[in-house]
Amino acid sequence: MDAFTSFFDSQSRNNWSYNTLKNFRQISPIVQAHLKQVYLTLCYALIASAVGAYLHILWNIGGYLTTFACLGTIIWLLSTPPCEKQKRVSLLMASAVFEGASIGPLIDLAIQIDPSVLVASFVGTALAFACFSGAAMLARRREYLYLGGLLSSGVSVLLWLHFASSIFGGSTALFMTEIYLGLLVFVGYMIVDTQDIIEKAHLGDLDYVKHALTLFTDFVAVFVRILIIMLKNSAEKSEKKKKRRD
């Protein structure tokens, strides 16, 4: 928690201005071009994921099968040589479609309860992604890479919490603890992964497909958790309204 506090404190101590926002001198033109390609590929992956969610709404295809298919295509992508760019992009889009279908049941539930929650969750995730990725790009190089160890510990805690809840039986409080902790962890990964991509690009790793996959994973993880939190809040509000009417 202290690491995240230091992140916001360091940002507030900087003299932010319009000139600061235009300051990308620490990022070389080659890396800037690489980042543009990464974010463009990420946008295509998000569109493909939306298509997958829509296919689930039409034909109810989301489930364990699409989850395993998503993992399989990701492994296939990572094992494919970087020189086969067209094939790797196709695998990324396929994994995004399967990912969208896998979270399709949650999106379908959100549409049934309150469609505005779905829109608000996506907009909130996009704003968070833009803000934290922008902060990582404007910060000094490698400034927040040290958070990676802390975030890895957070992922381990999440896995143990999920393991404990599956064995001893979960509760609403434990489930929401997992959701909020996971949200904090993956928001942190937005910062760390952005700086990691920039640093790797400076060292010659210009694999935009793999980097787009990394950011896509962060985006979906944050989106799902924000959507669950907003759905829970919406359900609680509707229950209170019903009690008042009764």
Side-chain angles (χ1 to χ4, degrees):
M1 186 63 68
D2 293 337
F4 285 98
T5 304
S6 64
F7 168 75
F8 290 106
D9 289 341
S10 64
Q11 296 302 320
S12 61
R13 285 195 297 266
N14 292 332
N15 293 322
W16 287 88
S17 64
Y18 180 69
N19 291 328
T20 304
L21 294 175
K22 297 189 298 180
N23 183 17
F24 288 94
R25 286 176 294 179
Q26 296 184 36
I27 304 177
S28 66
I30 296 176
V31 177
Q32 290 183 31
H34 172 68
L35 289 175
K36 290 178 182 178
Q37 202 167 20
V38 169
Y39 286 115
L40 182 62
T41 307
L42 173 62
C43 290
Y44 289 143
L46 292 175
I47 294 172
S49 182
V51 171
Y54 182 69
L55 291 176
H56 168 78
I57 294 173
L58 289 179
W59 298 314
N60 194 27
I61 61 174
Y64 289 110
L65 184 62
T66 55
T67 301
F68 288 125
C70 178
L71 293 174
T73 51
I74 289 175
I75 294 172
W76 189 3
L77 187 157
L78 295 176
S79 61
T80 303
C83 58
E84 300 181 23
K85 293 183 180 180
Q86 188 172 3
K87 180 180 178 181
R88 298 177 87 241
V89 170
S90 300
L91 288 171
L92 175 60
M93 296 303 120
S95 64
V97 170
F98 289 132
E99 179 68 25
S102 299
I103 63 174
L106 178 62
I107 293 176
D108 192 17
L109 177 64
I111 293 174
Q112 294 177 13
I113 295 176
D114 187 0
S116 64
V117 171
L118 180 62
V119 178
S121 299
F122 181 80
V123 172
T125 305
L127 289 175
F129 185 85
C131 291
F132 285 101
S133 295
M137 285 188 283
L138 293 171
R140 292 189 300 272
R141 283 179 58 183
R142 300 184 296 274
E143 185 175 3
Y144 300 114
L145 291 180
Y146 72 93
L147 288 173
L150 178 64
L151 296 174
S152 298
S153 300
V155 172
S156 298
V157 172
L158 286 173
L159 291 175
W160 280 109
L161 285 174
H162 185 72
F163 180 71
S165 63
S166 62
I167 292 179
F168 302 107
S171 63
T172 303
L174 182 60
F175 175 72
M176 293 311 297
T177 300
E178 288 185 47
I179 293 298
Y180 281 104
L181 179 59
L183 178 61
L184 183 64
V185 167
F186 284 105
V187 164
Y189 268 119
M190 286 181 176
I191 303 169
V192 173
D193 286 338
T194 301
Q195 283 211 327
D196 184 52
I197 288 170
I198 293 172
E199 191 59 30
K200 286 181 177 178
H202 277 290
L203 296 176
D205 183 1
L206 300 177
D207 188 354
Y208 68 91
V209 179
K210 183 176 70 174
H211 294 165
L213 173 64
T214 301
L215 296 180
F216 173 75
T217 304
D218 296 340
F219 191 99
V220 173
V222 172
F223 169 72
V224 167
R225 284 158 178 79
I226 290 179
L227 182 57
I228 292 174
I229 292 171
M230 295 191 71
L231 282 175
K232 184 176 183 299
N233 293 336
S234 178
E236 289 177 352
K237 289 180 181 179
S238 61
E239 287 180 3
K240 289 180 180 178
K241 288 181 180 179
K242 287 181 180 179
K243 289 180 180 180
R244 289 176 182 176
R245 290 175 183 176
D246 297 337

